[in-house]
Amino acid sequence: MTPNAEGPQTRVGPWPYIGVGCLTAPIGFFGGGMIAVLVAKIVGAARNCPPPEGLPACHTFEFLWPGALIGLVGLPTLALYRLRRGRKATGGSTNNG
């Protein structure tokens, strides 16, 4: 028998999507938090607010948690969107099950 010219057809399943989501979630959480603290530092400098002892900026936690949660949701969403769009462009399967 001659194999198919495109190669064997494999079923993708949900595992690549779960793997990408699980790897990018903590990266997004910490990255979003660090960016939010940078924004807090810029806002504090613009308002001439001296940071409390041991913290990098005024109102650190008011910026940290929303930024971290945005990163926690945003980065995996963006990564999965790009993965799915790339598979559709190459004609690969996007079947989740």
Side-chain angles (χ1 to χ4, degrees):
M1 282 190 151
T2 341
N4 191 354
E6 296 176 6
Q9 295 292 325
T10 58
R11 187 174 174 159
V12 174
W15 296 111
Y17 298 105
I18 292 171
V20 168
C22 287
L23 287 175
T24 57
I27 296 167
F29 180 80
F30 289 109
M34 287 190 291
I35 292 170
V37 170
L38 175 65
V39 170
K41 194 158 182 73
I42 292 169
V43 169
R47 292 183 178 174
N48 291 328
C49 177
E53 183 70 30
L55 292 177
C58 285
H59 309 291
T60 299
F61 295 105
E62 293 175 10
F63 285 85
L64 175 70
W65 294 115
L69 293 176
I70 289 170
L72 176 70
V73 173
L75 186 64
T77 301
L78 179 66
L80 291 173
Y81 171 74
R82 295 288 307 230
L83 177 65
R84 194 167 170 90
R85 194 173 83 175
R87 285 192 175 170
K88 282 185 181 179
T90 60
S93 173
T94 59
N95 185 5
N96 287 343

